[in-house]
Amino acid sequence: MSNRILVLGDGAAGTIISNKLRFLIPTEDADITVIGNSKFHYFKPDGIHIPLGMKRYQDSVKKPEFLFNYGINYVKDTISNIDVQNKKVSTKSGKEHTYDYLIIATGDRLVPEDIPNFASEAHHFYSLEGSLELKKKLAGFNGGKIVIGPSSIPYQCPPAPYEFTFQLYRYLNKRGILKDTEIHYIFPPNRVFTIENVAVYIEKLFDEKNIQYHTMFNVESIDSGARKINSLEGEELPYDLLVLVPPHKGQEVITKSGLADEVGYIDVDKHKLTYGNYDNVFVIGDATNLPISKAGATAHFESEYLASKIASEISGFISDDEYDGAVACTTVTGDEKAMTLYFSYN
Amino acid sequence: MEEKIKPTKIIDARGSFCPGPLMELIKAYKSAKLNDIISVYSTDSGTKRDASAWIKKSNNELIGVFEHEGYYEIVMKKTKG
Ligand SMILES: Cc1cc2nc3c(=O)[nH]c(=O)nc-3n(C[C@H](O)[C@H](O)[C@H](O)COP(=O)(O)OP(=O)(O)OC[C@H]3O[C@@H](n4cnc5c(N)ncnc54)[C@H](O)[C@@H]3O)c2cc1C
């Protein structure tokens, strides 16, 4: 009997897992269907480089259809309900999809509206539109105070804000306006990065470049009149240009389907990536509540584990492999340098 | 924790690593009311330092840091409106 594998989401995680599954499982053993609603597949890491003129946005977008290998059924639709009890997924077009295996890979979303005045005052590089706007804004910037950082945690790709800061430093230097600019970096916990030994290194680089940093700074509000941001901890910082990672939440359909609280990230078994007591329902990518980076690299490592587990099961073996939280990602630190971070649950 | 202090909210962040427990505490703090008592459990010893530093910086009251069998408990009172 052919197994039905249903993947929800056509972003990084949905694309990687479905292609890996198709590579491992012959078409006669499983149907693979992906449901997603992206207009185009945008390679988000380029968001750092587009505002600084280091990358053309036209090279960062592709049609999602183009990314799925032969033998994957791609359905363009919006998921409106996920019913794990009855193994049914409903979509906006009125269709119902059933499955033997369900993989939720719906990612998360930006919620700038959670901070008053974000839309009118802050810029960001967390969407293609945001990066293109920021590019225009930077072109007209001729010096002043720039405040950069994540407004809160969690957010996608923890190193991205410091990577952007280092590339911005280089950009300002090239344009000859670094001497007229103060860069202030803000970060929510009590160091400049979540992982302690990385934070020590980044602080050293910030010190060398005279980039000032303010830790334990969780953005609470933006005062558009005084052009200041205020933190939950009671500090304020004036700005001429504000580049903030917008707050993030999980998808509304996740909360509406009762799979998570109102913040929307799904609790999963950290070694099996399963949801609740359902051993045929998996969650990967940014949609999870796991204590590891929300990154394409995470989606990739999780997919390695999960695709081989499902493929083994379908071919009659029992796999007792577990995911250990391993992730590796390379991050840029400016001056044509980069470093690779390796981490896991331990 | 001493018997007489009853937390309004307990966050069990055991098994999560820094800054996870601190961020969970901040999340709970945002939705807490004035004078609420929040307690966070953590197996990561770094939380003692990180959470205490955050509670002080944000001008709230650190009630105490307690060591239990296999985990720490950090207790705070929301004193800032
Ligand atoms: C500026 C920036 C730089 C980054 N740099 C890196 C990097 O260098 N390395 C790295 O590893 N990661 C990086 N990332 C993070 C990485 O892009 C994300 O972690 C990754 O995209 C997560 O994949 P995902 O599939 O879980 O979510 P997404 O890629 O967001 O995909 C989710 C998909 O689900 C679809 N969807 C959601 N809800 C519904 C619904 N109701 N119905 C139908 N479809 C739905 C969406 O349309 C979307 O296509 C970066 C991110 C940013 C913003």
Side-chain angles (χ1 to χ4, degrees), chain A residues 156-177:
Chain A
Q156 287 170 43
C157 192
Y162 77 64
E163 290 186 284
F164 178 79
T165 305
F166 289 129
Q167 299 292 28
L168 176 70
Y169 178 91
R170 201 164 167 254
Y171 165 95
L172 296 168
N173 198 16
K174 259 192 176 162
R175 279 191 49 202
I177 51 173

Side-chain angles (χ1 to χ4, degrees), chain A residues 257-272:
Chain A
S257 304
L259 301 175
D261 62 8
E262 76 84 32
V263 182
Y265 291 107
I266 310 175
D267 283 329
V268 295
D269 181 297
K270 65 194 243 195
H271 295 297
K272 297 196 180 94

Side-chain angles (χ1 to χ4, degrees), chain B:
Chain B
M1 211 186 103
E2 292 159 50
E3 287 297 315
K4 45 189 189 303
I5 310 166
K6 230 181 148 20
T8 325
K9 191 170 172 82
I10 296 174
I11 304 144
D12 190 350
R14 284 176 288 188
S16 167
F17 298 102
C18 277
L22 169 62
M23 298 323 290
E24 287 294 320
L25 175 70
I26 295 175
K27 188 172 143 196
Y29 172 86
K30 284 184 185 169
S31 59
K33 292 195 289 288
L34 192 66
N35 295 324
D36 274 1
I37 293 175
I38 312 168
S39 156
V40 60
Y41 298 167
S42 174
T43 37
D44 186 334
S45 64
T47 310
K48 288 191 290 184
R49 176 199 57 195
D50 293 3
S52 306
W54 184 82
I55 294 162
K56 279 185 197 144
K57 169 135 186 194
S58 60
N59 273 321
N60 287 285
E61 187 188 330
L62 173 66
I63 294 180
V65 178
F66 306 93
E67 206 164 332
H68 300 295
E69 187 85 29
Y71 70 97
Y72 303 96
E73 180 180 14
I74 298 99
V75 188
M76 70 165 283
K77 184 172 180 182
K78 181 166 178 168
T79 50
K80 212 180 89 184

Side-chain angles (χ1 to χ4, degrees), chain A residues 27-253:
Chain A
T27 43
E28 58 274 22
D29 288 350
D31 291 330
I32 302 175
T33 300
V34 181
I35 310 176
N37 66 357
S38 20
K39 272 197 280 187
F40 47 78
H41 187 106
Y42 166 52
F43 185 64
K44 291 186 235 180
D46 287 345
I48 294 170
H49 304 114
I50 291 168
L52 306 171
M54 298 166 74
K55 185 101 201 189
R56 286 171 68 238
Y57 82 89
Q58 290 88 340
D59 298 331
S60 311
V61 289
K62 290 220 165 25
K63 284 193 166 169
E65 293 83 341
F66 184 78
L67 299 168
F68 295 104
N69 282 334
Y70 177 77
I72 295 171
N73 177 27
Y74 175 54
V75 178
K76 187 149 232 152
D77 209 341
T78 296
I79 301 142
S80 52
N81 191 51
I82 305 166
D83 177 355
V84 287
Q85 237 161 10
N86 296 303
K87 296 189 181 179
K88 260 187 339 208
V89 170
S90 319
T91 61
K92 208 169 152 196
S93 70
K95 294 216 173 61
E96 239 174 46
H97 298 259
T98 51
Y99 60 83
D100 299 304
Y101 293 92
L102 181 69
I103 300 164
I104 303 174
T106 43
D108 60 5
R109 66 195 161 106
L110 308 178
V111 283
E113 59 277 15
D114 275 10
I115 298 179
N117 297 324
F118 191 105
S120 60
E121 287 300 298
H123 292 267
H124 70 87
F125 50 93
Y126 264 62
S127 66
L128 178 53
E129 294 77 7
S131 285
L132 292 171
E133 274 299 311
L134 178 56
K135 184 178 184 182
K136 277 195 236 156
K137 184 75 189 174
L138 277 169
F141 180 81
N142 290 311
K145 272 198 174 97
I146 307 184
V147 175
I148 311 176
S151 48
S152 57
I153 281 183
Y155 61 92
Q156 287 170 43
C157 192
Y162 77 64
E163 290 186 284
F164 178 79
T165 305
F166 289 129
Q167 299 292 28
L168 176 70
Y169 178 91
R170 201 164 167 254
Y171 165 95
L172 296 168
N173 198 16
K174 259 192 176 162
R175 279 191 49 202
I177 51 173
L178 186 61
K179 58 183 185 328
D180 307 313
T181 308
E182 265 179 37
I183 304 177
H184 293 261
Y185 190 80
I186 58 167
F187 205 66
N190 55 337
R191 46 182 174 262
V192 298
F193 192 66
T194 45
I195 302 168
E196 198 161 352
N197 55 355
V198 180
V200 170
Y201 182 61
I202 299 299
E203 280 176 14
K204 183 177 146 271
L205 295 180
F206 279 170
D207 289 338
E208 279 168 19
K209 293 180 159 56
N210 202 19
I211 295 169
Q212 299 177 50
Y213 43 90
H214 309 262
T215 57
M216 293 198 268
F217 199 109
N218 287 273
V219 179
E220 187 168 47
S221 61
I222 302 173
D223 180 343
S224 56
R227 309 209 78 194
K228 281 194 303 211
I229 50 169
N230 305 305
S231 76
L232 186 68
E233 293 78 10
E235 269 187 286
E236 52 178 48
L237 262 180
Y239 62 82
D240 295 304
L241 174 60
L242 187 56
V243 185
L244 284 184
V245 176
H248 286 43
K249 276 188 179 156
Q251 303 292 357
E252 277 172 314
V253 66

